[in-house]
């Protein structure tokens, strides 16, 4: 497999032509699928990871349903398990900090849109200097997961359509067009926002996502994206 695949345009692009970049979190900016690692702490990783994998490959088309199924398996997991995942397992993928820093230096606004959880997105967003964040809020009662999510002002579950809406909404807020947006992801639920953006980027992604992306980074770090822009 070629380590960097470009289709649908001829580099170099100008970074100044872009004003906003939206990122998925799990397996894109960070090295893990948080829900699988929480499940591991509960001894249910195989069961939950199988659903995650099928959803990311696009084999389960209803992301909301797949998330609810996985969450139900986590009922009763203590908050300490989330803290353990954050402190011991979560690491940034190679090039994540460098790419975000370069985009910010070029004046782009950064958006974190995740089907994952606020417990982790708060940390990731703060570390990378994200301007906007949307993700799911785990319901916690008596220091344990209930297996449900908390309803937020925009809705309950951040799925592919919500990621797309958030990208377009943030772009409109800063007066940018969709063509001035970059979207970066790895799973099937990233395809709606990638399809709406002027530049779509797949990072170590599932086959279906690689095929549709304008840039597919199949080896190396996220900062390889910078090579498609003029110096």
């Amino acid at each position: 497999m070629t380590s960097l695949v470009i289709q649908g345009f001829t580099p170099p692009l100008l970074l100044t032509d872009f004003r906003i970049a939206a990122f998925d979190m799990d397996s894109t900016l960070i090295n893990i699928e948080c829900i699988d690692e929480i499940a591991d702490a509960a001894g249910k990783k195989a069961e939950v990871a199988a659903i995650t994998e099928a959803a990311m490959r696009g084999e389960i088309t209803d992301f909301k349903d797949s998330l609810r199924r996985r969450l139900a398996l986590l009922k009763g997991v203590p908050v300490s398990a989330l803290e353990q995942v954050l402190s011991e397992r979560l690491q940034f993928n190679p090039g994540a900090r460098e790419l975000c820093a370069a985009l910010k230096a070029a004046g782009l606004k950064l958006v974190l849109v995740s089907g994952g959880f606020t417990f982790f997105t708060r940390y990731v967003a703060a570390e990378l200097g994200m301007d906007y964040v949307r993700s799911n809020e785990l319901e916690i009662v008596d220091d344990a997961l209930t297996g449900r999510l908390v309803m937020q002002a925009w809705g309950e579950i951040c799925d592919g359509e919500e990621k797309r809406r958030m990208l377009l909404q943030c772009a409109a807020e800063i007066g940018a067009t969709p063509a001035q947006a970059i979207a970066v992801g790895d799973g099937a639920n990233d395809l709606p926002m990638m399809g709406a953006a002027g530049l779509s980027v797949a990072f170590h992604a599932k086959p279906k996502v690689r095929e549709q992306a304008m840039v597919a980074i199949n080896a190396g770090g996220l900062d390889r994206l910078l090579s498609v822009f003029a110096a």
Side-chain angles (χ1 to χ4, degrees):
M1 189 192 301
T2 310
S3 66
L4 188 74
V5 177
I6 290 167
Q7 56 182 0
F9 73 98
T10 305
L13 299 173
L14 294 175
L15 199 45
T16 47
D17 286 342
F18 295 91
R19 297 189 54 200
I20 192 165
F23 291 88
D24 168 52
M25 180 178 72
D26 296 69
S27 298
T28 299
L29 288 172
I30 63 173
N31 64 324
I32 56 171
E33 291 286 335
C34 291
I35 195 165
D36 294 354
E37 300 307 316
I38 298 167
D40 192 27
K44 294 181 179 175
K45 184 168 184 175
E47 217 172 332
V48 170
I51 303 173
T52 301
E53 178 69 11
M56 291 302 103
R57 284 185 175 276
E59 291 157 11
I60 296 177
T61 52
D62 187 340
F63 177 81
K64 289 184 177 181
D65 176 59
S66 83
L67 183 60
R68 288 192 181 104
R69 281 166 57 191
R70 285 175 285 168
L71 284 170
L73 294 168
L74 301 183
K75 184 178 178 180
V77 172
V79 172
S80 58
L82 277 66
E83 290 162 353
Q84 191 180 348
V85 170
L86 182 57
S87 63
E88 296 177 13
R89 302 192 183 191
L90 187 153
Q91 293 176 346
F92 286 96
N93 273 330
R97 291 182 187 276
E98 292 81 355
L99 175 59
C100 288
L103 296 179
K104 282 184 80 72
L108 279 76
K109 295 290 184 189
L110 304 184
V111 187
L112 180 56
V113 276
S114 174
F117 310 115
T118 55
F119 189 92
F120 303 100
T121 56
R122 272 195 290 266
Y123 169 77
V124 170
E127 287 287 310
L128 298 178
M130 294 286 167
D131 298 286
Y132 304 94
V133 187
R134 181 150 294 178
S135 59
N136 304 312
E137 177 104 37
L138 291 163
E139 186 179 68
I140 296 170
V141 175
D142 297 329
D143 285 335
L145 302 187
T146 65
R148 294 187 300 270
L149 295 172
V150 175
M151 181 63 77
Q152 299 182 70
W154 49 266
E156 181 198 16
I157 294 181
C158 183
D159 62 354
E161 268 314 303
E162 189 56 43
K163 288 185 176 196
R164 179 178 172 275
R165 256 198 306 277
M166 182 66 173
L167 170 60
L168 296 176
Q169 180 187 317
C170 294
E173 202 171 293
I174 64 165
T177 65
Q180 292 173 304
I182 300 170
V184 187
D186 75 297
N189 67 328
D190 297 315
L191 287 172
M193 73 167 179
M194 290 169 68
L199 181 64
S200 55
V201 183
F203 180 70
H204 295 210
K206 304 300 179 203
K208 188 175 175 181
V209 183
R210 283 202 305 269
E211 286 159 17
Q212 295 182 45
M214 293 165 70
V215 179
I217 301 168
N218 300 319
L222 274 161
D223 53 340
R224 291 201 66 188
L225 177 60
L226 298 171
S227 68
V228 308
F229 297 103

